Amino acid sequence: STIDYNTYIRYPSLVSIGEHTTINSGCSFLPSIHYRYVEIVIGNHVAVAPDVCFIAVGHEYKRLNLPVTAASVKVGDYVWIGAKSIILPGVTIGEGAVVAAGSVVTKDVPAYTVVGGCPARVIKPREVIK
């Protein structure tokens, strides 16, 4: 696998990246030190474009003291995530999915679909040529 320059990985022990995966420049991986079981897992043969942000930690906005919340982020094999996309806590991106550039992924992405937008929505199925 390849991790390009200017990639930020906070708490590397909570991030795993599979084989034959490319992480482009400027990406961020933000798990939580408060919840050691919450991790960011990137599969095999994944293409991550520049400036993608994976966020597994946040705050409970309904409470004034903003307690920390966290949920794992998982990316399946053969996924392509477009530039400047944001993947939020608790999201699982299914195998073979494509996330269009600039998307904000707030919910799970089904396998072999193309999603895009803010919030990301299914655009169409991904047709795979073998």
Side-chain angles (χ1 to χ4, degrees), residues 13-31:
S13 65
L14 298 174
V15 175
S16 64
I17 298 170
E19 296 179 355
H20 308 289
T21 289
T22 300
I23 308 298
N24 240 297
S25 63
C27 291
S28 297
F29 294 81
L30 306 171

Side-chain angles (χ1 to χ4, degrees), residues 74-116:
K74 298 182 180 179
V75 177
D77 297 341
Y78 300 100
V79 169
W80 176 21
I81 302 176
K84 297 188 182 286
S85 291
I86 300 170
I87 315 302
L88 293 178
V91 167
T92 296
I93 300 176
E95 178 178 314
V98 175
V99 176
S103 296
V104 177
V105 184
T106 61
K107 296 180 181 176
D108 290 352
V109 176
Y112 295 98
T113 58
V114 178
V115 300

